Coordinates of all heavy atoms in Angstrom, one line a residue:
M1 N 31.2 19.4 -31.9 CA 30.4 19.6 -33.1 C 30.1 18.3 -33.8 O 31.0 17.6 -34.2 CB 31.0 20.7 -34.0 CG 30.2 21.0 -35.2 SD 31.0 22.3 -36.2 CE 29.9 22.4 -37.5
V2 N 28.9 18.1 -34.1 CA 28.5 16.9 -34.8 C 28.3 17.2 -36.3 O 27.5 18.1 -36.6 CB 27.2 16.3 -34.2 CG1 26.8 15.1 -35.0 CG2 27.4 15.9 -32.8
T3 N 29.0 16.5 -37.1 CA 28.9 16.8 -38.6 C 27.8 15.9 -39.2 O 27.4 14.9 -38.6 CB 30.2 16.5 -39.3 OG1 30.5 15.1 -39.2 CG2 31.4 17.2 -38.6
A4 N 27.4 16.3 -40.3 CA 26.4 15.5 -41.0 C 26.9 14.1 -41.3 O 26.2 13.1 -41.2 CB 26.0 16.1 -42.3
A5 N 28.2 14.0 -41.6 CA 28.8 12.7 -41.9 C 28.8 11.8 -40.7 O 28.5 10.6 -40.8 CB 30.3 12.9 -42.3
M6 N 29.0 12.4 -39.5 CA 28.9 11.6 -38.2 C 27.5 11.1 -38.0 O 27.3 9.9 -37.6 CB 29.4 12.4 -37.0 CG 30.9 12.6 -37.0 SD 31.4 13.7 -35.7 CE 31.0 12.8 -34.3
E7 N 26.5 12.0 -38.2 CA 25.1 11.6 -38.0 C 24.8 10.4 -39.0 O 24.1 9.5 -38.6 CB 24.2 12.8 -38.3 CG 24.3 13.8 -37.2 CD 23.4 15.0 -37.5 OE1 22.9 15.1 -38.6 OE2 23.3 15.9 -36.6
R8 N 25.3 10.5 -40.2 CA 25.0 9.5 -41.2 C 25.6 8.1 -40.7 O 25.0 7.1 -40.9 CB 25.5 9.8 -42.5 CG 24.6 10.7 -43.3 CD 25.1 11.1 -44.6 NE 24.0 11.9 -45.3 CZ 23.5 11.4 -46.4 NH1 23.8 10.3 -47.0 NH2 22.5 12.1 -47.0
S9 N 26.8 8.2 -40.2 CA 27.5 6.9 -39.8 C 26.7 6.3 -38.6 O 26.6 5.1 -38.5 CB 28.9 7.1 -39.5 OG 29.1 7.7 -38.3
Q10 N 26.3 7.1 -37.7 CA 25.5 6.6 -36.6 C 24.2 6.0 -37.1 O 23.8 4.9 -36.6 CB 25.2 7.7 -35.6 CG 26.4 8.1 -34.8 CD 26.2 9.4 -33.9 OE1 25.2 10.0 -34.0 NE2 27.2 9.7 -33.1
L11 N 23.6 6.6 -38.0 CA 22.3 6.1 -38.6 C 22.6 4.7 -39.2 O 21.8 3.8 -39.0 CB 21.8 7.0 -39.7 CG 20.4 6.9 -40.2 CD1 19.4 7.2 -39.0 CD2 20.1 7.8 -41.3
L12 N 23.7 4.6 -39.9 CA 24.0 3.3 -40.5 C 24.3 2.2 -39.5 O 23.9 1.1 -39.7 CB 25.2 3.5 -41.4 CG 25.0 4.2 -42.8 CD1 26.3 4.4 -43.5 CD2 24.1 3.3 -43.7
D13 N 24.9 2.6 -38.4 CA 25.2 1.6 -37.4 C 24.0 1.1 -36.7 O 23.9 -0.1 -36.3 CB 26.1 2.2 -36.3 CG 27.5 2.3 -36.8 OD1 27.9 1.6 -37.7 OD2 28.3 3.1 -36.2
E14 N 22.9 2.0 -36.6 CA 21.7 1.6 -35.9 C 20.7 0.9 -36.8 O 19.9 0.1 -36.3 CB 21.1 2.8 -35.3 CG 21.9 3.5 -34.2 CD 21.3 4.8 -33.8 OE1 20.3 5.2 -34.4 OE2 21.9 5.5 -33.0
Q15 N 20.8 1.1 -38.1 CA 19.7 0.6 -38.9 C 20.2 -0.6 -39.7 O 21.2 -0.6 -40.3 CB 19.3 1.7 -39.9 CG 18.8 3.0 -39.1 CD 17.7 3.7 -39.8 OE1 17.2 3.3 -40.9 NE2 17.3 4.8 -39.2
R16 N 19.3 -1.6 -39.6 CA 19.6 -2.9 -40.3 C 18.6 -3.2 -41.3 O 17.4 -2.9 -41.1 CB 19.6 -4.0 -39.2 CG 20.7 -3.8 -38.1 CD 22.0 -4.2 -38.6 NE 23.1 -3.7 -37.8 CZ 24.4 -4.0 -38.0 NH1 24.8 -4.8 -39.0 NH2 25.3 -3.4 -37.3
C17 N 19.0 -4.0 -42.3 CA 18.1 -4.4 -43.4 C 16.9 -5.1 -42.8 O 17.0 -6.0 -42.0 CB 18.8 -5.3 -44.4 SG 17.8 -5.9 -45.7
D18 N 15.7 -4.7 -43.2 CA 14.4 -5.4 -42.7 C 14.3 -6.8 -43.3 O 13.5 -7.6 -42.8 CB 13.2 -4.6 -43.2 CG 13.0 -3.4 -42.3 OD1 13.8 -3.0 -41.5 OD2 11.9 -2.8 -42.4
R19 N 15.1 -7.2 -44.3 CA 15.0 -8.5 -44.9 C 16.0 -9.5 -44.4 O 15.7 -10.6 -44.1 CB 15.1 -8.4 -46.4 CG 13.9 -7.8 -47.1 CD 12.7 -8.7 -47.0 NE 11.5 -8.1 -47.6 CZ 10.6 -7.3 -46.9 NH1 10.8 -7.1 -45.6 NH2 9.6 -6.8 -47.5
C20 N 17.3 -9.0 -44.2 CA 18.3 -9.9 -43.9 C 19.2 -9.5 -42.7 O 20.0 -10.3 -42.2 CB 19.2 -10.2 -45.1 SG 20.2 -8.7 -45.5
G21 N 19.0 -8.3 -42.1 CA 19.7 -7.9 -41.0 C 21.1 -7.3 -41.2 O 21.8 -7.0 -40.3
A22 N 21.5 -7.2 -42.5 CA 22.7 -6.6 -42.8 C 22.7 -5.1 -42.6 O 21.6 -4.5 -42.4 CB 23.1 -6.9 -44.3
R23 N 23.8 -4.5 -42.6 CA 23.9 -3.0 -42.3 C 23.0 -2.3 -43.4 O 23.1 -2.5 -44.5 CB 25.3 -2.6 -42.4 CG 25.5 -1.1 -42.3 CD 26.9 -0.7 -42.5 NE 27.6 -0.7 -41.2 CZ 28.4 0.3 -40.8 NH1 28.7 1.2 -41.6 NH2 29.0 0.2 -39.6
G24 N 22.2 -1.3 -42.9 CA 21.3 -0.6 -43.7 C 22.1 0.3 -44.7 O 23.1 0.9 -44.3
A25 N 21.6 0.4 -45.9 CA 22.2 1.3 -47.0 C 21.1 2.1 -47.7 O 21.4 3.1 -48.3 CB 23.0 0.5 -48.0
V26 N 19.9 1.6 -47.6 CA 18.8 2.3 -48.3 C 17.6 2.6 -47.3 O 17.2 1.6 -46.6 CB 18.3 1.5 -49.5 CG1 17.1 2.1 -50.2 CG2 19.4 1.3 -50.5
H27 N 17.1 3.8 -47.3 CA 16.0 4.1 -46.4 C 14.8 4.4 -47.3 O 14.8 5.2 -48.2 CB 16.4 5.4 -45.7 CG 15.5 5.8 -44.5 ND1 15.3 7.1 -44.1 CD2 14.7 5.0 -43.8 CE1 14.5 7.1 -43.1 NE2 14.0 5.9 -42.9
A28 N 13.7 3.8 -46.9 CA 12.4 4.0 -47.7 C 11.3 4.5 -46.7 O 11.1 3.8 -45.7 CB 12.0 2.7 -48.4
I29 N 10.7 5.6 -47.1 CA 9.6 6.1 -46.2 C 8.3 6.0 -46.9 O 8.1 6.5 -48.1 CB 9.9 7.6 -45.9 CG1 11.3 7.8 -45.2 CG2 8.8 8.2 -45.0 CD1 11.7 9.2 -45.1
A30 N 7.4 5.3 -46.3 CA 6.1 5.1 -46.9 C 5.3 6.4 -46.9 O 5.5 7.3 -46.1 CB 5.3 4.0 -46.1
P31 N 4.2 6.5 -47.8 CA 3.4 7.7 -47.8 C 2.8 8.0 -46.4 O 2.6 9.1 -46.0 CB 2.3 7.3 -48.8 CG 3.0 6.3 -49.7 CD 3.9 5.6 -48.8
G32 N 2.5 7.0 -45.6 CA 1.9 7.2 -44.3 C 3.0 7.5 -43.2 O 2.6 7.7 -42.0
G33 N 4.2 7.4 -43.5 CA 5.3 7.8 -42.6 C 6.1 6.6 -42.0 O 7.1 6.8 -41.4
R34 N 5.6 5.4 -42.2 CA 6.4 4.2 -41.8 C 7.6 4.2 -42.6 O 7.6 4.4 -43.8 CB 5.5 3.0 -42.0 CG 6.2 1.7 -41.6 CD 5.3 0.5 -41.5 NE 6.0 -0.7 -41.2 CZ 6.2 -1.7 -42.1 NH1 5.7 -1.6 -43.3 NH2 6.9 -2.7 -41.7
D35 N 8.7 3.8 -42.0 CA 10.0 3.7 -42.7 C 10.6 2.3 -42.7 O 10.4 1.6 -41.7 CB 11.0 4.8 -42.2 CG 11.4 4.5 -40.8 OD1 10.6 4.2 -40.0 OD2 12.6 4.7 -40.6
L36 N 11.3 2.0 -43.7 CA 11.9 0.7 -43.9 C 13.4 0.9 -44.2 O 13.7 1.9 -44.8 CB 11.3 -0.1 -45.0 CG 9.8 -0.5 -44.9 CD1 9.3 -1.0 -46.2 CD2 9.6 -1.5 -43.8
V37 N 14.2 0.0 -43.8 CA 15.6 0.0 -44.1 C 16.0 -1.2 -44.8 O 15.6 -2.3 -44.4 CB 16.5 0.3 -42.9 CG1 18.0 0.2 -43.2 CG2 16.1 1.6 -42.2
F38 N 16.8 -1.1 -45.9 CA 17.3 -2.3 -46.6 C 18.8 -2.1 -46.7 O 19.4 -1.0 -46.8 CB 16.7 -2.4 -48.0 CG 15.2 -2.6 -47.9 CD1 14.4 -1.5 -48.3 CD2 14.7 -3.8 -47.6 CE1 13.0 -1.7 -48.2 CE2 13.3 -3.9 -47.5 CZ 12.4 -2.9 -47.9
C39 N 19.5 -3.3 -46.9 CA 20.9 -3.3 -47.2 C 21.1 -2.9 -48.7 O 20.1 -2.7 -49.4 CB 21.5 -4.7 -46.9 SG 20.8 -5.9 -48.0
A40 N 22.3 -2.7 -49.1 CA 22.6 -2.3 -50.5 C 21.9 -3.3 -51.5 O 21.3 -3.0 -52.5 CB 24.1 -2.2 -50.7
H41 N 22.1 -4.6 -51.1 CA 21.6 -5.7 -52.0 C 20.1 -5.6 -52.1 O 19.5 -5.5 -53.2 CB 22.0 -7.0 -51.5 CG 21.4 -8.2 -52.2 ND1 21.8 -8.7 -53.4 CD2 20.3 -8.9 -51.9 CE1 21.0 -9.7 -53.8 NE2 20.1 -9.9 -52.9
H42 N 19.4 -5.6 -51.0 CA 17.9 -5.5 -51.0 C 17.4 -4.2 -51.5 O 16.3 -4.1 -52.0 CB 17.3 -6.0 -49.7 CG 17.4 -7.5 -49.5 ND1 18.2 -8.0 -48.5 CD2 16.9 -8.5 -50.1 CE1 18.1 -9.3 -48.5 NE2 17.3 -9.7 -49.5
G43 N 18.1 -3.1 -51.2 CA 17.7 -1.8 -51.6 C 17.6 -1.7 -53.1 O 16.7 -1.2 -53.7
R44 N 18.7 -2.3 -53.8 CA 18.6 -2.3 -55.3 C 17.5 -3.2 -55.7 O 16.8 -2.9 -56.7 CB 20.0 -2.9 -55.8 CG 21.1 -1.9 -55.9 CD 22.2 -2.4 -56.8 NE 22.8 -3.6 -56.2 CZ 23.8 -3.6 -55.3 NH1 24.3 -2.4 -54.9 NH2 24.3 -4.7 -54.9
E45 N 17.3 -4.3 -55.0 CA 16.2 -5.2 -55.5 C 14.8 -4.6 -55.3 O 14.0 -4.8 -56.2 CB 16.3 -6.5 -54.6 CG 15.4 -7.6 -55.1 CD 15.7 -8.9 -54.3 OE1 16.8 -9.1 -53.8 OE2 14.8 -9.7 -54.2
Y46 N 14.6 -3.8 -54.3 CA 13.2 -3.3 -54.0 C 13.0 -1.9 -54.4 O 11.8 -1.4 -54.4 CB 12.9 -3.5 -52.5 CG 12.8 -4.9 -52.1 CD1 13.7 -5.4 -51.0 CD2 11.9 -5.8 -52.7 CE1 13.6 -6.7 -50.6 CE2 11.9 -7.1 -52.3 CZ 12.7 -7.6 -51.2 OH 12.6 -8.9 -50.8
A47 N 14.0 -1.1 -54.6 CA 13.9 0.4 -54.8 C 12.8 0.7 -55.9 O 12.0 1.6 -55.7 CB 15.2 1.0 -55.2
E48 N 12.9 0.0 -57.0 CA 12.0 0.3 -58.1 C 10.5 0.1 -57.7 O 9.6 0.9 -57.9 CB 12.3 -0.5 -59.3 CG 11.6 -0.1 -60.6 CD 12.0 -0.9 -61.8 OE1 13.1 -1.4 -61.8 OE2 11.2 -0.9 -62.8
Q49 N 10.3 -1.1 -57.0 CA 8.9 -1.4 -56.6 C 8.5 -0.5 -55.5 O 7.3 0.0 -55.5 CB 8.9 -2.9 -56.0 CG 7.5 -3.3 -55.6 CD 6.6 -3.3 -56.8 OE1 6.8 -3.9 -57.8 NE2 5.4 -2.6 -56.6
L50 N 9.4 -0.1 -54.6 CA 9.0 0.8 -53.5 C 8.6 2.2 -54.0 O 7.6 2.8 -53.6 CB 10.2 1.0 -52.5 CG 10.5 -0.2 -51.6 CD1 11.8 -0.1 -51.0 CD2 9.4 -0.4 -50.6
R51 N 9.4 2.7 -55.0 CA 9.0 4.0 -55.6 C 7.7 3.9 -56.3 O 6.9 4.8 -56.3 CB 10.1 4.4 -56.6 CG 11.4 4.9 -55.9 CD 12.3 5.6 -56.8 NE 13.5 6.2 -56.1 CZ 14.7 5.6 -56.1 NH1 14.9 4.5 -56.8 NH2 15.7 6.1 -55.4
A52 N 7.4 2.7 -57.0 CA 6.2 2.6 -57.7 C 5.0 2.6 -56.7 O 3.9 3.0 -57.0 CB 6.2 1.2 -58.5
D53 N 5.3 2.1 -55.4 CA 4.3 2.1 -54.4 C 4.2 3.4 -53.7 O 3.4 3.5 -52.7 CB 4.6 1.0 -53.4 CG 4.3 -0.4 -54.0 OD1 3.6 -0.5 -55.0 OD2 4.8 -1.4 -53.4
G54 N 4.9 4.4 -54.0 CA 4.8 5.7 -53.4 C 5.8 6.0 -52.3 O 5.7 7.0 -51.7
F55 N 6.7 5.1 -52.1 CA 7.8 5.3 -51.0 C 8.8 6.3 -51.5 O 9.1 6.4 -52.7 CB 8.5 4.0 -50.8 CG 7.8 3.0 -49.9 CD1 6.7 2.3 -50.4 CD2 8.2 2.8 -48.6 CE1 6.0 1.4 -49.6 CE2 7.6 1.8 -47.8 CZ 6.5 1.1 -48.3
E56 N 9.3 7.1 -50.6 CA 10.4 8.0 -50.9 C 11.7 7.2 -50.5 O 12.0 6.9 -49.3 CB 10.3 9.2 -50.0 CG 11.4 10.2 -50.3 CD 11.2 11.5 -49.4 OE1 10.1 11.9 -49.3 OE2 12.2 12.0 -49.0
V57 N 12.4 6.8 -51.5 CA 13.6 6.0 -51.3 C 14.9 6.9 -51.4 O 15.1 7.6 -52.3 CB 13.7 4.9 -52.4 CG1 14.9 4.0 -52.2 CG2 12.4 4.1 -52.4
S58 N 15.7 6.7 -50.4 CA 17.0 7.5 -50.4 C 18.1 6.6 -49.9 O 18.0 5.7 -49.2 CB 16.9 8.7 -49.4 OG 16.6 8.3 -48.1
D59 N 19.3 6.9 -50.5 CA 20.5 6.2 -50.2 C 21.1 6.7 -48.9 O 21.3 7.9 -48.8 CB 21.5 6.3 -51.4 CG 22.5 5.3 -51.4 OD1 22.9 4.7 -50.3 OD2 23.0 4.9 -52.5
L60 N 21.5 5.8 -48.0 CA 22.1 6.3 -46.7 C 23.6 6.5 -46.9 O 24.2 7.1 -46.0 CB 21.8 5.3 -45.6 CG 20.4 5.1 -45.1 CD1 20.3 4.0 -44.1 CD2 20.0 6.4 -44.4
N61 N 24.2 6.0 -47.9 CA 25.6 6.1 -48.0 C 26.1 7.5 -48.5 O 25.5 8.1 -49.4 CB 26.2 5.1 -49.1 CG 26.1 3.7 -48.5 OD1 26.3 3.5 -47.3 ND2 25.7 2.8 -49.3
Ligands
ZN1 ZN1 19.2 -7.2 -47.0

């Protein structure tokens, strides 16, 4: 049985920050469906701007 926690950890292992390649911590989905991943550092830096641009921003942790 796969738990939600396991799925989340697998997601984190696979997804890397689009800016620096660090482990992903923030997931941003564009209005058109394109998605971006940022590390904790860049997620904090860009979340406000991404939300302003209409992205749906969620924390992977
Ligand atoms: Zn980063």
Side-chain angles (χ1 to χ4, degrees):
M1 181 176 174
V2 177
T3 67
M6 287 171 68
E7 289 176 352
R8 276 179 175 246
S9 75
Q10 287 174 350
L11 195 67
L12 285 171
D13 283 343
E14 291 169 4
Q15 303 213 3
R16 299 278 162 179
C17 177
D18 280 13
R19 289 291 177 270
C20 70
R23 172 182 272 223
V26 175
H27 189 208
I29 304 171
R34 180 170 175 248
D35 66 319
L36 299 169
V37 173
F38 298 106
C39 65
H41 171 81
H42 285 115
R44 276 195 299 273
E45 188 172 333
Y46 294 123
E48 188 177 339
Q49 183 61 54
L50 288 167
R51 287 195 175 102
D53 288 344
F55 282 72
E56 182 180 320
V57 181
S58 59
D59 197 333
L60 290 174
N61 290 321

